[in-house]
Amino acid sequence: MGKLPQNHSRTRQYSLNQESLTPGLEQWLQQLDHNPEALELRLSALHSTRLGIYFESLWQFYLEQQHQLVAHNLQINEAGRTLGEIDFLYRSGSNVCSPSNASKNKRPLIHAEAAVKFYLGCPNTYASLSSDEFNWHAWIGPNAKDRLSLKMRHMLDRQLTLSGQASARAKINNILGDHEIINNLQPEAILRGRFFYPFDQHMPSPSFANSNHLRGYWCYQNQLETFIDSQTSANQTKWLALERQDWFAEVETEDDTLLLDNEELIRFCLQGDHAIPRIVALMECQPEKAYWKEVLRCFVIPNHWPG
């Protein structure tokens, strides 16, 4: 598990959740693929289309199924005012085989804040940064008001410090019961998403990013033809415009009526409201299996971004 920079106003060291795929977890995911009804029922009950809410629901389901979840969206109040909300309290380490309370209480307690983000690297911004800001300021959301630096500052300075406050500790101890007092409550960031790199310039990865993080490219609308030309391939390829619910994982499809050729892609990205960023995936035909598989994706951004 990686480490994020320490907050110097406190003595807490933050963990970065980088959970690996163990054989047990892989087996559980395969079983979920074959019997997804419980997860589908959970997701169908959501009253929001926001990706962040969807992402939190996936993590809540996972932690419940692994018998790790202690509390979710735990509101912390003090003197009649709300200090904040803890996304997750959970026990580290899966305990699917023996989910008894006795075995649960032996595992360390984690305070986790969860977020899914999609940031684009802006080289011109990076060049102007001072070294003490890492390079987070150079990673900007499709909505230019959102930056990795702002998100990390909010997460490290506000969200993950909440469980260190006395009112939060008292409420957590009340949940745990008299048999247990918090000793080493570990703050952890669950950060997922994708970083998009400029297709025509080199740019270093964000500081502390997982070396295996999901990647993509980005281009301006007026660079789209140049970007398409740069992706020549001997294999048969087409493009797929991704809906928001498809932003998380790589996509596959057997329905080639959804696919666009180069000219259709250009018309799609330039039609209507030019202020709308769009994510598209380059799909490669897999003739032996009669389906199309994603090989890369790209954010097509309005020409005025991030201005």
Side-chain angles (χ1 to χ4, degrees), residues 132-285:
D132 61 347
E133 293 184 66
F134 307 108
N135 62 350
W136 292 342
H137 191 71
W139 292 87
I140 307 173
N143 174 354
K145 295 179 181 179
D146 182 18
R147 292 175 183 255
L148 178 59
S149 57
L150 298 177
K151 179 58 185 175
M152 293 303 297
R153 190 174 302 122
H154 178 68
M155 181 171 276
L156 295 177
D157 293 346
R158 289 182 59 85
Q159 293 177 294
L160 287 173
T161 61
L162 181 59
S163 58
Q165 299 190 32
S167 53
R169 292 279 173 142
K171 186 161 189 176
I172 295 170
N173 275 330
N174 185 56
I175 292 173
L176 297 176
D178 295 336
H179 61 278
E180 182 179 4
I181 301 297
I182 300 173
N183 291 318
N184 297 313
L185 180 63
Q186 177 64 56
E188 177 186 82
I190 302 175
L191 286 170
R192 299 292 188 271
R194 189 181 296 260
F195 292 117
F196 292 81
Y197 293 77
F199 83 99
D200 58 348
Q201 298 183 60
H202 171 73
M203 187 168 180
S205 300
S207 302
F208 301 95
N210 188 315
S211 59
N212 296 318
H213 66 264
L214 297 179
R215 298 167 180 258
Y217 294 110
W218 71 267
C219 72
Y220 287 114
Q221 290 172 339
N222 60 14
Q223 296 176 311
L224 182 55
E225 289 190 51
T226 303
F227 172 72
I228 290 173
D229 291 341
S230 72
Q231 301 304 317
T232 56
S233 171
N235 298 323
Q236 185 180 3
T237 57
K238 287 193 175 184
W239 299 89
L240 178 65
L242 301 184
E243 302 292 338
R244 287 180 65 86
Q245 63 266 26
D246 298 323
W247 285 16
F248 286 180
E250 293 181 353
V251 293
E252 299 176 356
T253 184
E254 297 177 354
D255 187 357
D256 57 7
T257 65
L258 301 173
L259 305 179
L260 307 172
D261 62 25
N262 291 346
E263 293 301 321
E264 289 170 331
L265 176 70
I266 292 171
R267 287 197 297 271
F268 170 78
C269 289
L270 300 185
Q271 71 182 3
D273 188 351
H274 286 199
I276 298 178
R278 304 183 188 275
I279 293 186
V280 299
L282 181 63
M283 308 294 290
E284 187 174 273
C285 183

Side-chain angles (χ1 to χ4, degrees), residues 70-127:
V70 176
H72 173 234
N73 287 347
L74 183 64
Q75 192 173 90
I76 304 302
N77 302 306
E78 183 177 82
R81 65 188 182 96
T82 301
L83 299 181
E85 191 174 82
I86 291 174
D87 282 351
F88 297 106
L89 285 176
Y90 78 93
R91 299 285 184 181
S92 64
S94 177
N95 203 34
V96 174
C97 295
S98 66
S100 66
N101 287 332
S103 59
K104 281 183 182 180
N105 294 339
K106 295 178 181 179
R107 291 178 283 152
L109 191 65
I110 308 293
H111 161 209
E113 294 296 325
V116 60
K117 291 290 185 177
F118 302 88
Y119 289 114
L120 290 70
C122 191
N124 294 338
T125 307
Y126 176 72

